[in-house]
Amino acid sequence: MIRLGAGPLERIVAVGAHCDDIAIGAGGTLLSMCLARPGLRVDALVLSGGGTEREQEEQAALAAFCPGADLRLTVLKLPDGRMPVHWDEAKAAVEELRERTEPDLVLAPRTDDAHQDHRGLARLMPTAFRDHLVLGYEIVKWDGDLGRPSAYQPLSPEVAEEKVRLLQEHYPSQRHRPWYDREAFLGLARIRGIECHARYAEAFAVTKLTLDLGTSTVGE
């Protein structure tokens, strides 16, 4: 098992097509990073839900998932399920986000996610964040699109439990969904933990990764 750190983290970007995507896919990772690095800047962008109760849920949830962070959240009003026909607006939002931050890490949906909104946003990210480490988070759903991830963030049992608690507390509009429950969230985290020799973990897809394992030249 090779463990590579991302180096000092001062700024991260987190994007989601819908309110709760970021928290479901990477909430434990956000908690872990923010608890370890007080003052971390988090620029978050969500494409849909603006002006509704969903935006209010997202504001409260991400504040809880990013304790002590400098959180800057933007929630747009693109219609749910229609991202492909609003490509220009989504692209402009991603590019505007890129203009205001130089992140050390980007958290985004996976490019092979079965949901068209998730997949469309994921495919936009490399067009703006060309030289950044982009981790594609996963969201369990009825499509059965979970794959074989290539990167893992182990979660302590305390963080895993806190993630589930915060998801249940801050997104009451989603509690009626049959997949939105403790067993689903902890079950996936347990499976990903097994895969990386941890109790719990969140898993990510990496489409491109540049390594810097040494800078010395031959003869030095």
Side-chain angles (χ1 to χ4, degrees):
M1 177 72 66
I2 298 175
R3 296 179 181 269
L4 297 176
L9 288 175
E10 297 180 354
R11 294 188 177 197
I12 68 170
V13 157
V15 299
H18 316 100
C19 297
D20 79 16
D21 284 355
I22 296 170
I24 292 174
T29 297
L30 281 174
L31 267 173
S32 298
M33 289 191 297
C34 292
L35 289 171
R37 301 171 178 85
L40 180 69
R41 174 168 164 175
V42 180
D43 287 276
L45 170 67
V46 179
L47 297 183
S48 64
T52 72
E53 66 172 358
R54 298 280 277 139
E55 180 176 3
Q56 298 172 12
E57 288 180 346
E58 189 76 341
Q59 290 277 0
L62 289 190
F65 275 103
C66 302
D70 177 10
L71 174 64
R72 308 182 187 193
L73 170 64
T74 300
V75 182
L76 303 183
K77 299 181 179 181
L78 273 62
D80 188 352
R82 305 294 294 173
M83 189 272 184
V85 298
H86 292 270
W87 182 265
D88 289 345
E89 296 167 74
K91 183 175 176 62
V94 169
E95 290 176 345
E96 192 279 330
L97 173 64
R98 174 66 184 94
E99 289 174 0
R100 68 172 185 263
T101 186
E102 181 63 52
D104 303 303
L105 173 67
V106 178
L107 301 171
R110 296 159 39 235
T111 55
D112 56 353
D113 193 295
H115 194 296
Q116 67 271 20
D117 291 354
H118 301 172
R119 187 171 62 251
L121 176 57
R123 291 176 176 173
L124 274 175
M125 299 311 291
T127 69
F129 296 90
R130 294 180 178 272
D131 299 310
H132 301 80
L133 176 59
V134 180
L135 299 181
Y137 56 73
E138 57 184 357
I139 297 177
V140 64
K141 61 180 80 67
W142 73 270
D143 305 83
D145 63 351
L146 297 178
R148 298 185 64 182
S150 51
Y152 297 84
Q153 171 59 49
L155 305 178
S156 69
E158 294 77 15
V159 165
E161 291 282 356
E162 181 69 356
K163 173 184 175 177
V164 174
R165 187 187 72 79
L166 292 177
L167 286 172
Q168 293 290 349
E169 175 182 347
H170 289 291
Y171 296 105
S173 67
Q174 304 304 297
R175 292 175 190 157
H176 69 283
R177 299 185 181 277
W179 54 268
Y180 196 91
D181 60 32
R182 171 185 172 84
E183 288 180 296
F185 299 134
L186 272 187
L188 180 58
R190 180 68 186 109
I191 291 171
R192 297 316 189 197
I194 291 171
E195 293 172 350
C196 68
H197 296 167
R199 182 64 185 174
Y200 298 106
E202 286 177 338
F204 302 89
V206 180
T207 55
K208 185 181 290 187
L209 176 65
T210 300
L211 301 178
D212 181 8
L213 302 179
T215 57
S216 62
T217 60
V218 174
E220 290 186 346

